[in-house]
């Protein structure tokens, strides 16, 4: 699924004047691709409008593009007319939301990323074994709300090491941790270490909760950051993994790093005296927005970008089963 390639990104003599490094991998992950295609296919199959609870992925360009094609984004299910089709976003929903949809007779398509669903299953299993579960994540993030909703009486949120002293559990020997999929790997390790210091019998999740895409994009940034006078992250402000990339870039040695939704948000002043610029993008960002940033740089005398590969990705998720079933039925009806 993922292979570490590990090419050290050394600037060549020709690049010594000005250079642009392009992180790889960057941009769309398998879960985002699946969620966006789900809405596109639903629009094609059922016709507009198709309702989507919350932003399907955290990128304002993706959302406005789908809106222009007939998707209607709502915050809660009571905004969806009875009997309509509603897609659940890649970040996942709690069982209470599924129950509400069923009560209202809505047709649902669940585009929750399978790697988020995996964390939901872990939460249910730890809760069934009656563990207190410490969920490391950001308060108010949709993914955290969905995961916590699987076992609200067992789960408490931990935002960082600063929260650890205030944790109260029923039995210090029966404590487990889980995490949001899009956190900083290094910060999460710090938080886990602080929790383990208080609860030495702490149980780990069966496998990494921070997903492959988050880890690979952080790894790619760490490789290029030390050589970057400026590292531009393309991504929306509510995209957790994009915001983390700026933090990772600065920690890994980039002299400056900023997040932009697209090239129009780049401040010309950021380029003053800047020789090497690096570019990456969060997991919900279409590649055309990155290409827009590269064109912006080219117009200001920067050379063609050189990709720096730190990992290969080939993971693909199949579409939600409800949608596959309906697509198959429609194809059969056509003969
Ligand atoms: S960032 Fe990770 S968890 Fe989130 S949609 Fe992409 S693959 Fe899934």
């Amino acid at each position: 699924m993922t292979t570490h390639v590990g090419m050290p990104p050394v600037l060549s003599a020709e690049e010594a004047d000005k250079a642009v490094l392009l992180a790889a991998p960057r941009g769309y992950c398998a879960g985002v691709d699946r969620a966006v295609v789900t809405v596109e296919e639903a629009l094609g199959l059922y016709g507009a409008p198709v309702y989507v609870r919350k932003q399907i992925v955290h990128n304002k360009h993706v959302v406005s593009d789908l809106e222009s094609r007939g998707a209607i984004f709502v915050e809660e299910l009571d905004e969806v007319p009875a009997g309509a089709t509603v897609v659940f976003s890649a970040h996942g929903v709690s069982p209470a939301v599924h129950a509400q949809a069923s009560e209202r007779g809505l047709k649902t398509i669940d585009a929750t990323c399978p790697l988020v669903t995996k964390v939901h299953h872990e939460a249910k299993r730890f809760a069934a074994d009656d563990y207190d579960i410490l969920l490391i994540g950001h308060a108010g993030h949709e993914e955290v709300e969905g995961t916590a909703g699987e076992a609200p009486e067992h789960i408490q949120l931990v935002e960082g090491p600063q929260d650890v002293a205030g944790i109260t559990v029923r039995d210090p020997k029966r404590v487990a941790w889980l995490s949001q999929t899009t956190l900083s790997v290094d910060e999460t390790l710090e938080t886990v270490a602080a929790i383990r210091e208080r609860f030495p019998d702490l149980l780990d999740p069966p496998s990494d909760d921070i997903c492959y895409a988050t880890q690979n994009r952080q790894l790619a940034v760490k490789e290029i950051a030390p050589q970057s006078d400026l590292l531009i992250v393309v991504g929306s402000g509510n995209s957790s993994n994009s915001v983390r990339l700026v933090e990772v870039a600065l920690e890994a040695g980039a002299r400056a790093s900023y997040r932009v939704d697209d090239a129009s948000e780049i401040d010309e002043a950021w380029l003053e005296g800047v020789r090497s610029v690096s570019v990456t993008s969060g997991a919900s960002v279409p590649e055309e927005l990155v290409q827009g940033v590269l064109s912006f740089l080219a117009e200001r005398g920067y050379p063609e970008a050189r990709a720096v590969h730190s990992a290969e990705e080939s993971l693909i998720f199949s579409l939600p089963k409800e949608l596959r079933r309906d697509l198959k039925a429609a194809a059969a009806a056509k003969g």
Side-chain angles (χ1 to χ4, degrees), residues 29-32 90 113 115-116 181-182 211-214 283 317:
C29 60
V32 163
C113 176
L115 300 182
V116 173
T181 56
T182 50
C211 75
Y212 80 99
T214 301
F317 293 129

Side-chain angles (χ1 to χ4, degrees), residues 208-225:
D208 281 344
D209 286 346
I210 298 180
C211 75
Y212 80 99
T214 301
Q215 295 194 31
N216 286 346
R217 280 148 193 71
Q218 289 177 16
L219 177 69
V221 159
K222 280 184 186 174
E223 292 210 11
I224 57 177

Side-chain angles (χ1 to χ4, degrees), residues 9-297:
V10 177
L11 294 179
S12 67
E14 303 83 68
E15 291 172 322
D17 184 22
K18 274 184 174 177
V20 179
L21 297 178
L22 186 57
R26 64 182 175 280
Y28 268 23
C29 60
V32 163
D33 188 51
R34 172 183 186 259
V36 173
V37 172
T38 293
V39 178
E40 290 170 344
E41 290 283 352
L43 283 166
L45 185 61
Y46 311 118
V50 165
Y51 290 82
V52 184
R53 183 183 178 275
K54 309 281 186 188
Q55 292 193 348
I56 183 72
V57 298
H58 285 156
N59 184 271
K60 73 175 193 184
H61 287 276
V62 172
V63 168
S64 62
D65 177 54
L66 291 171
E67 266 172 345
S68 73
R69 293 151 77 175
I72 297 178
F73 292 87
V74 297
E75 278 304 299
E76 293 305 339
L77 291 184
D78 53 17
E79 299 165 57
V80 181
T85 299
V86 62
V87 179
F88 293 146
S89 79
H91 309 101
V93 294
S94 69
V97 174
H98 280 287
Q100 192 192 357
S102 160
E103 274 163 28
R104 302 223 29 241
L106 303 177
K107 176 181 174 60
T108 59
I109 300 173
D110 189 356
T112 302
C113 176
L115 300 182
V116 173
T117 302
K118 177 182 80 81
V119 183
H120 283 224
H121 288 320
E122 290 166 359
K124 282 190 275 192
R125 215 198 66 204
F126 283 145
D129 291 342
D130 205 24
Y131 276 81
D132 278 325
I133 302 164
L134 307 178
L135 175 60
I136 304 172
H138 297 292
H141 191 279
E142 286 144 50
E143 183 188 319
V144 162
E145 288 174 356
T147 305
E150 290 289 356
E153 67 291 355
H154 285 86
I155 294 180
Q156 52 188 303
L157 185 66
V158 178
E159 292 204 83
Q162 72 283 358
D163 288 352
V164 173
I167 295 170
T168 318
V169 296
R170 292 165 301 161
D171 177 356
K173 291 193 176 310
R174 292 188 75 74
V175 182
W177 71 275
L178 296 174
S179 86
Q180 193 178 325
T181 56
T182 50
L183 300 181
S184 150
V185 174
D186 296 336
E187 275 177 27
T188 304
L189 289 177
E190 272 176 43
T191 307
V192 172
I195 296 172
R196 182 156 280 124
E197 208 169 306
R198 259 203 77 190
F199 307 109
D201 293 319
L202 182 70
L203 197 58
D204 295 321
S207 60
D208 281 344
D209 286 346
I210 298 180
C211 75
Y212 80 99
T214 301
Q215 295 194 31
N216 286 346
R217 280 148 193 71
Q218 289 177 16
L219 177 69
V221 159
K222 280 184 186 174
E223 292 210 11
I224 57 177
Q227 299 172 76
S228 308
D229 294 330
L230 169 66
L231 196 149
I232 296 173
V233 176
V234 186
S236 287
N238 61 345
S239 161
S240 173
N241 80 88
S242 301
V243 173
R244 300 289 84 73
L245 289 176
V246 172
E247 295 166 1
V248 169
L250 293 171
E251 277 160 23
R255 255 73 75 202
S257 182
Y258 300 100
R259 181 200 55 75
V260 294
D261 256 297
D262 54 47
S264 72
E265 291 185 1
I266 299 174
D267 185 339
E268 301 267 358
W270 299 345
L271 298 174
E272 275 167 29
V274 162
R275 192 175 58 82
S276 62
V277 183
S278 295
V279 181
T280 189
S281 56
S284 47
V285 177
E287 180 61 12
E288 69 202 52
L289 299 176
V290 172
Q291 294 304 318
V293 169
L294 298 181
S295 300
F296 178 98
L297 293 171

